[in-house]
Amino acid sequence: MSERIVIVGGGLAGQRCAETLRRCGHGQPIVMVCGEPHRPYDRPPLSKGVLHGRDAEETLSFRSADWYDAKGVELLLGVEARHLDHRAQLVELSDGTSVPYGQLLIATGARPRGLPIFDGFENVTGLRTVEDARRLRAALVPGARLLVIGAGFIGQEVASAARTAGVHTTIVEAAAAPLGGLLGPELGAWFADLHRSHGVELLLGEQVIGVRREDPPGEIGDRRRVGSVTLASGRTLTCDHVLLGVGVEPALDWLGGSELDRTGVITDVDGRTDIPGVYAAGDAAACFDPLLEAHAPGSHWESSGRQGSRVAKAMLGQDPGAPALSSFWSDLYDTRVQYLGHASLADQLIFDGDPGSRSFTATFTRDGRPVAVLLAGRPQMLPQARALLAGTAERAFA
Ligand code: FAD
């Protein structure tokens, strides 16, 4: 049997897995199959520093090329996994070769969801890759009109960068409040106010039902551009560029024909699937979350990295320790927002500080016990928030 560990997906989860394997003494070959032509790189700056022009693309790589050489981690760049044959313990690749494995990590992340009405237009982008960020950044010129579809975190961060760049920005969101489903109406209203106070036009309870094509003047041919959209309310919005921020779906097409769930690979708390030697982590996985008592789809940075590390330890038969709390952060204008835990479990919301301000703590409790915390403009409070939730998480894991 091959001793090789194959990591499919050169993102954060795969990277942390490779680093932890080497740090914990694994001496056998490691191969990372990276669909993108770049060394593994970090995505959060794509909607923050890169769009603001503060972070250069070259600074995004997790490690230098020398690191991979020194650690004996073979990168297959620009090569995709096409098929998993778990009986033969082989991954078939887009270059026609296949790579045998002893243990396998599925870490192919997610890709932005599309909306059929916008298919085929050149001025419509999602935001997942460095190429997406480059295209979007070029569109964020002062005076341009940006239409953001969806007020999730990506949509909100892009809106924040666009307004800061002097772009006329409109967000169209089908729900009654940004992130209202996740955080409830009170905090949803806070996010709405944050954007409106920075000059974003935020249209809630609205949907795009029609798209009008407007090709570049003097051009005939295949270049199709959205010139305006019609909303369900009947209103028409003109735009120069459209950002689709309507969520992501796991990049798991390549598992077609396998028995693994392509809507998110189901794993235990350490990333094990039901197939011996096959693990999953990050946005492609739905790991068991002891606090939720359910499998939760990945979509955040910290949990993806930690899951990658846990898988490495599980592969080596080492104790991965207690799982981390679910968490994320976001930078909107000059306010950092940090969130830990699961507000969906809560029956009460308590504020410390003025929720009308840009600095407060929102603690979600259930039966008086904290289950989630949102910090707005209070990064210094993160250790306390973690400590507050640690007891709840430990009890859930015990
Ligand atoms: P990814 O980082 O998506 O990596 C997966 C890799 O696998 C990709 O390179 C992909 O091309 C590759 N791949 C896909 N299919 C194949 C295949 N068949 N074969 C080979 N390779 C394949 N989270 C936060 O908590 N806070 C933030 O502020 C935040 N900001 C973000 C901003 C942006 C713009 C984006 C896109 C994400 C942000 N996130 C944030 C989310 C966070 O970056 C992700 O949760 C994290 O990157 C997931 O890591 P991953 O390794 O699972 O997947």
Side-chain angles (χ1 to χ4, degrees), residues 342-350 364-369 371:
H342 295 290
S344 61
L345 299 172
D347 55 24
Q348 206 186 350
L349 174 58
I350 303 160
F364 297 81
T365 62
R366 183 189 187 86
D367 300 330
R369 191 176 289 168
V371 290

Side-chain angles (χ1 to χ4, degrees), residues 11-13 35-36 43 47-48 81 108-109 128 283 300-301 328-329:
L12 175 67
E36 294 182 67
R43 291 180 207 279
S47 53
K48 304 176 183 68
T108 41
R128 188 80 193 177
D283 289 2
H300 302 306
W301 191 91
F328 65 75
W329 84 96

Side-chain angles (χ1 to χ4, degrees), residues 28-49:
Q28 302 297 328
I30 300 175
V31 175
M32 288 182 81
V33 182
C34 306
E36 294 182 67
H38 316 287
R39 285 196 312 281
Y41 64 90
D42 209 13
R43 291 180 207 279
L46 297 178
S47 53
K48 304 176 183 68

Side-chain angles (χ1 to χ4, degrees), residues 8-15 33-36 41-48 62 79-82 93 107-111 127-129 153-154 157 248 251-254 281-285 298-305 327-331:
V8 182
L12 175 67
Q15 176 65 29
V33 182
C34 306
E36 294 182 67
Y41 64 90
D42 209 13
R43 291 180 207 279
L46 297 178
S47 53
K48 304 176 183 68
F62 291 116
V79 177
E80 288 194 338
R82 286 283 159 83
L93 305 178
T108 41
R111 60 173 65 99
L127 181 52
R128 188 80 193 177
T129 64
F153 274 111
I154 296 291
E157 289 192 352
V248 295
L252 293 170
D253 304 348
W254 65 283
D283 289 2
S299 59
H300 302 306
W301 191 91
E302 189 173 347
S303 46
S304 296
S327 71
F328 65 75
W329 84 96
S330 183
D331 289 327

Side-chain angles (χ1 to χ4, degrees), residues 71-311:
K71 298 290 178 185
V73 175
E74 187 184 354
L75 292 182
L76 304 181
L77 297 182
V79 177
E80 288 194 338
R82 286 283 159 83
H83 179 67
L84 169 63
D85 182 344
H86 70 84
R87 287 186 185 81
Q89 297 194 206
L90 276 181
V91 178
E92 293 170 15
L93 305 178
S94 55
D95 63 3
T97 64
S98 53
V99 54
Y101 64 83
Q103 300 192 86
L104 171 72
L105 172 62
I106 297 165
T108 41
R111 60 173 65 99
R113 227 175 246 137
L115 285 178
I117 202 167
F118 288 111
D119 280 354
F121 289 102
E122 67 169 27
N123 59 340
V124 177
T125 39
L127 181 52
R128 188 80 193 177
T129 64
V130 77
E131 288 78 12
D132 293 338
R134 208 178 287 156
R135 219 171 308 136
L136 185 57
R137 201 181 150 200
L140 300 188
V141 290
R145 292 157 304 173
L146 175 71
L147 179 60
V148 176
I149 312 292
F153 274 111
I154 296 291
Q156 291 192 48
E157 289 192 352
V158 171
S160 154
R163 277 307 299 145
T164 308
V167 173
H168 300 291
T169 306
T170 303
I171 304 179
V172 175
E173 164 61 53
L179 304 171
L182 179 70
L183 300 171
E186 240 175 314
L187 284 165
W190 181 83
F191 282 98
D193 178 64
L194 179 69
H195 291 290
R196 287 179 174 141
S197 69
H198 283 86
V200 170
E201 185 178 20
L202 176 62
L203 304 176
L204 299 170
E206 270 287 20
Q207 287 191 50
V208 175
I209 56 161
V211 168
R212 193 156 162 266
R213 178 175 168 175
E214 191 174 275
D215 295 338
E219 286 199 27
I220 312 163
D222 295 335
R223 294 183 60 199
R224 302 172 72 226
R225 293 180 60 84
V226 175
S228 62
V229 301
T230 310
L231 304 181
S233 61
R235 195 170 155 190
T236 297
L237 299 173
T238 54
C239 58
D240 300 305
H241 200 88
V242 179
L243 182 275
L244 282 187
V246 290
V248 295
E249 51 201 11
L252 293 170
D253 304 348
W254 65 283
L255 293 180
S258 85
E259 59 209 54
L260 296 167
D261 190 339
R262 279 183 287 149
T263 62
V265 178
I266 303 281
T267 76
D268 71 4
V269 74
D270 298 328
R272 284 181 201 86
T273 69
D274 286 342
I275 302 175
V278 176
Y279 297 76
D283 289 2
C287 290
F288 185 76
D289 183 319
L291 191 59
L292 267 185
E293 297 181 342
H295 291 92
S299 59
H300 302 306
W301 191 91
E302 189 173 347
S303 46
S304 296
R306 284 177 185 252
Q307 284 167 13
S309 297
R310 291 180 72 77
V311 164

